[in-house]
Amino acid sequence: MGYEENTTAATATTADQEEEAWNQRKQALIEELSDKLVNGDLQTKIEAARDIRKIVKKSSLKTRSKFAAAGVIQPLVLMLVSPNLDACEASLLALLNLAVRNERNKVNIVTAGALPPLVELLKFQNGSLRELAAAAILTLSAAAPNKPAIAASGAAPLLVQILHSGSVQGRVDAVTALHYLSSCKENSSPILDATAVPPLINLLKECKKYSKFAEKATALLEILSKSEEGRMAITNSDGGILTLVETVEDGSLVSTEHAVGALLSLCLSGRDKYRQLILKEGAIPGLLRLTVEGTYAAQERARTLLDLLRDTPQEKRLSSSVLEKIVYDIATRVDGADKAAETAKRLLQDMVQRSMELSMTRIQQRAASSTPSKVPST
């Protein structure tokens, strides 16, 4: 073995020894902090929780798992019920950091009994603690096994209250948590009621319509549009239908699908009641564009809604699918079967463009009066 090989081997051995020594020191620190959480006085526990938060915040998934294995979750959960607000905050932040990107820790935190104290913290007048609790509910609800328990815990109505009065970040967290919980199939009763509609409409007004946040807000509004109370709330909210129409025009593939779904729910429930309200907000151009550019579900919903919005009797109505077939047949005769699909799409897009130009004045007026986005795009 040459000099260079000897040097390389020695360097590798030194690095391995240093890493092993660091792992031993870290393990000793984890065990020390765990002991302080279990056996220390209140101030010692608070300091230990703060140290755990700092260490975990900059550490790997493996370190989070080691802290959990050392038994820190249960004493941190017990601190959540302390009358000392510093203790509540320190334990809450430590648990939040232990749960981030660690599915097992999320489940273990709920299993350790964190939900009842978190729900109580959601009732606090202290805005900081209340919104930290909302962030914790959001993080824990990202784990599928936790969703049924959280949905049944009574957290949802308290998250809706944050939609009304929380900070921007608090409202974003509340919408995201409610969106996670809405996908819980095990929950037999709805987690939302019509009181969630006005703040959701206001948030959708403020955010970028193509953002991930808009996708979650419109998903919740579509769910709410399935009930008569939800439909009435959308109609009675200032700019409720208009905001959904704007999302159809400017949203991402996902948010447009949900927005047109909500509008369709309105019209299906009572065409005579909602048809003029939707038409008045200039829905046609966006719906026509969606029949060409939307997801498959959005296209189908847009076609159905366009048929419902037409003023002709049902038996004489020219359906959107028939219109597309006519355009396709014309394209076949003009350019042949090989290019028919491409030509038909172009013809439909031209029709959409002409229809959108007719409503351009209204759209420009609405854009001129809009306010800058306050809600994060994530």
Side-chain angles (χ1 to χ4, degrees):
M1 183 180 292
Y3 173 76
E4 289 185 2
E5 291 175 326
N6 284 329
T7 302
T8 302
T11 302
T13 301
T14 301
D16 290 343
Q17 290 171 342
E18 289 176 353
E19 183 179 358
E20 178 62 27
W22 163 239
N23 287 335
Q24 289 176 357
R25 289 197 302 273
K26 190 191 298 187
Q27 186 60 40
L29 177 59
I30 289 171
E31 290 171 4
E32 179 187 344
L33 290 172
S34 176
D35 182 67
K36 286 180 178 180
L37 276 179
V38 174
N39 300 312
D41 58 24
L42 182 59
Q43 191 55 43
T44 300
K45 290 179 178 180
I46 291 172
E47 290 170 1
R50 288 171 176 166
D51 286 341
I52 289 171
R53 179 207 176 192
K54 290 176 186 174
I55 294 168
V56 170
K57 192 174 182 180
K58 300 176 182 178
S59 297
S60 64
L61 172 67
K62 191 175 181 181
T63 300
R64 290 181 174 85
S65 298
K66 284 183 176 181
F67 267 110
V72 303
I73 288 177
Q74 189 67 61
L76 285 171
V77 168
L78 291 174
M79 286 174 69
L80 290 175
V81 300
S82 171
N84 184 300
L85 297 187
D86 287 340
C88 288
E89 181 176 356
S91 61
L92 193 45
L93 288 167
L95 287 167
L96 258 171
N97 281 277
L98 285 167
V100 171
R101 296 190 299 277
N102 192 307
E103 192 86 354
R104 178 176 290 182
N105 282 0
K106 288 182 177 75
V107 173
N108 287 341
I109 288 167
V110 170
T111 303
L115 285 183
L118 285 175
V119 170
E120 289 303 309
L121 288 173
L122 285 176
K123 300 174 184 177
F124 263 44
Q125 296 304 310
N126 182 309
S128 174
L129 274 176
R130 184 176 73 148
E131 295 195 359
L132 279 175
I137 293 288
L138 159 61
T139 303
L140 296 174
S141 64
N146 288 341
K147 289 180 182 180
I150 297 173
S153 71
L158 298 168
L159 292 170
V160 171
Q161 288 181 19
I162 293 177
L163 292 185
H164 285 274
S165 60
S167 68
V168 170
Q169 186 58 54
R171 288 181 288 162
V172 168
D173 288 346
V175 167
T176 308
L178 289 167
H179 181 256
Y180 281 144
L181 296 176
S182 69
S183 65
C184 176
K185 295 180 175 60
E186 294 89 342
N187 192 40
S188 56
S189 58
I191 63 159
L192 287 172
D193 60 34
T195 60
V197 168
L200 283 171
I201 291 291
N202 288 334
L203 286 165
L204 192 55
K205 285 180 187 176
E206 295 173 8
C207 74
K208 295 174 181 176
K209 302 299 185 289
Y210 53 81
S211 66
K212 292 292 184 185
F213 181 81
E215 294 176 0
K216 297 178 178 72
T218 49
L220 295 175
L221 286 167
E222 185 183 1
I223 291 169
L224 287 161
S225 73
K226 305 297 183 186
S227 72
E228 181 58 27
E229 294 80 5
R231 291 189 289 270
M232 288 297 297
I234 290 171
T235 307
N236 293 333
S237 293
D238 181 27
I241 292 177
L242 173 59
T243 304
L244 289 171
V245 169
E246 289 176 333
T247 307
V248 169
E249 292 174 350
D250 303 325
S252 69
L253 289 174
V254 174
S255 56
T256 54
E257 183 178 314
H258 290 309
V260 74
L263 292 171
L264 181 57
S265 290
L266 296 181
C267 218
L268 284 172
S269 72
R271 179 176 178 272
D272 295 337
K273 183 177 181 179
Y274 293 106
R275 178 179 166 274
Q276 284 299 329
L277 294 174
I278 296 171
L279 284 172
K280 186 180 72 172
E281 302 301 355
I284 298 297
L287 291 172
L288 282 170
R289 182 179 61 80
L290 210 53
T291 64
V292 178
E293 299 178 1
T295 64
Y296 177 78
Q299 289 180 21
E300 291 298 304
R301 293 172 179 183
R303 291 183 188 114
T304 304
L305 184 53
L306 282 168
D307 290 342
L308 290 169
L309 293 176
R310 289 191 175 92
D311 200 19
T312 53
Q314 179 74 34
E315 61 272 14
K316 295 182 180 178
R317 192 183 306 151
L318 181 64
S319 72
S320 300
S321 57
V322 171
L323 175 62
E324 290 177 21
K325 186 176 186 306
I326 292 170
V327 173
Y328 184 84
D329 289 343
I330 293 170
T332 302
R333 289 196 292 272
V334 172
D335 284 345
D338 291 344
K339 297 182 179 179
E342 183 181 344
T343 302
K345 182 175 181 179
R346 187 172 66 252
L347 288 170
L348 281 170
Q349 286 173 331
D350 289 343
M351 292 171 64
V352 171
Q353 184 62 35
R354 285 195 295 274
S355 181
M356 291 187 75
E357 285 170 359
L358 292 174
S359 65
M360 187 56 67
T361 301
R362 181 189 61 79
I363 294 171
Q364 288 173 338
Q365 289 172 346
R366 195 169 67 220
S369 62
S370 65
T371 56
S373 172
K374 298 176 184 176
V375 179
S377 59
T378 55

